[in-house]
Short mmCIF file of all heavy atoms in Angstrom, two decimals:
data_model
loop_
_atom_site.label_atom_id
_atom_site.label_comp_id
_atom_site.label_asym_id
_atom_site.label_seq_id
_atom_site.Cartn_x
_atom_site.Cartn_y
_atom_site.Cartn_z
N ARG A 1249 -10.83 30.19 -0.53
CA ARG A 1249 -11.94 31.10 -0.30
C ARG A 1249 -12.12 32.10 -1.44
O ARG A 1249 -13.08 32.84 -1.45
CB ARG A 1249 -11.74 31.84 1.01
CG ARG A 1249 -11.86 30.91 2.19
CD ARG A 1249 -11.65 31.68 3.48
NE ARG A 1249 -11.98 30.85 4.59
CZ ARG A 1249 -13.17 30.81 5.18
NH1 ARG A 1249 -14.13 31.57 4.77
NH2 ARG A 1249 -13.40 30.02 6.19
N PHE A 1277 -19.58 22.83 -8.58
CA PHE A 1277 -18.77 24.03 -8.37
C PHE A 1277 -17.26 23.78 -8.28
O PHE A 1277 -16.49 24.72 -8.38
CB PHE A 1277 -19.28 24.85 -7.17
CG PHE A 1277 -18.97 24.32 -5.80
CD1 PHE A 1277 -17.88 24.81 -5.09
CD2 PHE A 1277 -19.77 23.38 -5.21
CE1 PHE A 1277 -17.60 24.36 -3.82
CE2 PHE A 1277 -19.50 22.92 -3.93
CZ PHE A 1277 -18.41 23.41 -3.23
N ALA A 1297 -15.95 27.51 -9.02
CA ALA A 1297 -16.84 28.52 -9.62
C ALA A 1297 -17.18 29.60 -8.61
O ALA A 1297 -17.19 29.37 -7.40
CB ALA A 1297 -18.11 27.86 -10.13
N ALA A 1298 -17.46 30.78 -9.11
CA ALA A 1298 -17.87 31.90 -8.26
C ALA A 1298 -19.08 31.48 -7.43
O ALA A 1298 -19.96 30.77 -7.90
CB ALA A 1298 -18.20 33.11 -9.11
N ASN A 1299 -19.11 31.94 -6.19
CA ASN A 1299 -20.18 31.59 -5.27
C ASN A 1299 -21.18 32.73 -5.19
O ASN A 1299 -20.83 33.83 -4.78
CB ASN A 1299 -19.60 31.30 -3.89
CG ASN A 1299 -20.64 30.75 -2.94
OD1 ASN A 1299 -21.79 30.61 -3.29
ND2 ASN A 1299 -20.22 30.44 -1.73
N GLY A 1300 -22.43 32.47 -5.54
CA GLY A 1300 -23.48 33.48 -5.46
C GLY A 1300 -24.39 33.29 -4.27
O GLY A 1300 -25.44 33.90 -4.18
N GLY A 1301 -24.01 32.42 -3.32
CA GLY A 1301 -24.89 32.13 -2.20
C GLY A 1301 -24.13 31.99 -0.90
O GLY A 1301 -23.09 32.61 -0.70
N PRO A 1302 -24.65 31.14 0.00
CA PRO A 1302 -24.02 30.99 1.32
C PRO A 1302 -22.71 30.22 1.25
O PRO A 1302 -22.39 29.61 0.23
CB PRO A 1302 -25.07 30.21 2.12
CG PRO A 1302 -25.86 29.47 1.10
CD PRO A 1302 -25.86 30.34 -0.14
N LEU A 1303 -21.97 30.24 2.37
CA LEU A 1303 -20.73 29.48 2.46
C LEU A 1303 -20.99 28.05 2.01
O LEU A 1303 -22.05 27.48 2.30
CB LEU A 1303 -20.26 29.48 3.93
CG LEU A 1303 -19.00 28.66 4.20
CD1 LEU A 1303 -18.04 29.45 5.05
CD2 LEU A 1303 -19.35 27.35 4.84
N ARG A 1304 -20.03 27.49 1.30
CA ARG A 1304 -20.20 26.10 0.89
C ARG A 1304 -18.87 25.36 1.02
O ARG A 1304 -17.81 25.96 0.92
CB ARG A 1304 -20.76 26.00 -0.53
CG ARG A 1304 -19.91 26.64 -1.61
CD ARG A 1304 -20.64 26.59 -2.94
NE ARG A 1304 -19.87 27.27 -3.99
CZ ARG A 1304 -20.30 27.43 -5.22
NH1 ARG A 1304 -21.48 26.96 -5.56
NH2 ARG A 1304 -19.55 28.03 -6.12
N VAL A 1305 -18.99 24.07 1.27
CA VAL A 1305 -17.83 23.20 1.42
C VAL A 1305 -17.99 22.06 0.44
O VAL A 1305 -19.06 21.46 0.34
CB VAL A 1305 -17.72 22.66 2.86
CG1 VAL A 1305 -16.54 21.70 2.98
CG2 VAL A 1305 -17.61 23.79 3.86
N GLY A 1306 -16.94 21.78 -0.29
CA GLY A 1306 -16.94 20.66 -1.22
C GLY A 1306 -15.68 19.85 -1.03
O GLY A 1306 -14.77 20.26 -0.31
N THR A 1318 -13.27 25.00 1.16
CA THR A 1318 -14.28 25.83 1.80
C THR A 1318 -14.31 27.16 1.07
O THR A 1318 -13.27 27.80 0.92
CB THR A 1318 -13.96 26.05 3.28
OG1 THR A 1318 -13.90 24.77 3.93
CG2 THR A 1318 -15.02 26.92 3.96
N GLN A 1319 -15.47 27.56 0.61
CA GLN A 1319 -15.62 28.81 -0.13
C GLN A 1319 -16.53 29.75 0.64
O GLN A 1319 -17.63 29.38 1.05
CB GLN A 1319 -16.17 28.54 -1.52
CG GLN A 1319 -16.14 29.75 -2.42
CD GLN A 1319 -16.62 29.43 -3.81
OE1 GLN A 1319 -17.49 28.59 -4.00
NE2 GLN A 1319 -16.05 30.09 -4.79
N ALA A 1320 -16.06 30.96 0.84
CA ALA A 1320 -16.82 31.97 1.58
C ALA A 1320 -18.16 32.27 0.90
O ALA A 1320 -18.31 32.09 -0.32
CB ALA A 1320 -16.00 33.26 1.69
N ALA A 1321 -19.08 32.73 1.69
CA ALA A 1321 -20.39 33.14 1.16
C ALA A 1321 -20.24 34.37 0.28
O ALA A 1321 -19.32 35.17 0.45
CB ALA A 1321 -21.34 33.45 2.32
N ALA A 1322 -21.16 34.51 -0.63
CA ALA A 1322 -21.21 35.73 -1.45
C ALA A 1322 -21.57 36.90 -0.54
O ALA A 1322 -22.29 36.72 0.45
CB ALA A 1322 -22.26 35.59 -2.55
N PRO A 1323 -21.09 38.08 -0.85
CA PRO A 1323 -21.47 39.22 -0.01
C PRO A 1323 -22.98 39.48 -0.13
O PRO A 1323 -23.58 39.24 -1.17
CB PRO A 1323 -20.67 40.38 -0.59
CG PRO A 1323 -20.29 39.96 -1.97
CD PRO A 1323 -20.25 38.46 -1.97
N CYS A 1324 -23.55 39.96 0.95
CA CYS A 1324 -24.98 40.27 0.95
C CYS A 1324 -25.20 41.60 0.22
O CYS A 1324 -24.62 42.62 0.60
CB CYS A 1324 -25.52 40.35 2.37
SG CYS A 1324 -25.60 38.74 3.17
N ALA A 1348 -32.24 39.44 -2.49
CA ALA A 1348 -30.98 39.23 -1.78
C ALA A 1348 -30.58 37.76 -1.94
O ALA A 1348 -31.43 36.89 -2.15
CB ALA A 1348 -31.16 39.55 -0.30
N PRO A 1349 -29.28 37.46 -1.84
CA PRO A 1349 -28.85 36.07 -1.90
C PRO A 1349 -29.39 35.27 -0.71
O PRO A 1349 -29.63 35.82 0.38
CB PRO A 1349 -27.32 36.16 -1.82
CG PRO A 1349 -26.98 37.56 -2.22
CD PRO A 1349 -28.15 38.39 -1.79
N THR A 1350 -29.56 33.98 -0.89
CA THR A 1350 -29.96 33.09 0.19
C THR A 1350 -28.95 33.22 1.33
O THR A 1350 -27.75 33.30 1.09
CB THR A 1350 -30.00 31.64 -0.31
OG1 THR A 1350 -30.94 31.56 -1.37
CG2 THR A 1350 -30.41 30.68 0.80
N GLY A 1351 -29.43 33.27 2.54
CA GLY A 1351 -28.56 33.40 3.69
C GLY A 1351 -28.35 34.84 4.14
O GLY A 1351 -27.75 35.09 5.18
N CYS A 1352 -28.87 35.79 3.38
CA CYS A 1352 -28.73 37.21 3.74
C CYS A 1352 -30.01 37.69 4.41
O CYS A 1352 -31.06 37.80 3.77
CB CYS A 1352 -28.41 38.05 2.51
SG CYS A 1352 -26.79 37.68 1.82
N ASN A 1373 -35.12 36.41 4.81
CA ASN A 1373 -33.82 35.86 4.48
C ASN A 1373 -33.84 35.57 2.99
O ASN A 1373 -34.72 34.85 2.52
CB ASN A 1373 -33.60 34.58 5.29
CG ASN A 1373 -32.26 33.97 5.06
OD1 ASN A 1373 -31.79 33.86 3.93
ND2 ASN A 1373 -31.62 33.53 6.14
N GLY A 1374 -32.90 36.14 2.24
CA GLY A 1374 -32.94 35.97 0.79
C GLY A 1374 -34.02 36.86 0.20
O GLY A 1374 -34.36 37.91 0.76
#
Side-chain angles (χ1 to χ4, degrees):
R1249 292 180 171 266
F1277 76 97
N1299 188 358
L1303 177 134
R1304 60 186 177 183
V1305 177
T1318 301
Q1319 189 177 34
C1324 290
T1350 301
C1352 293
N1373 183 316

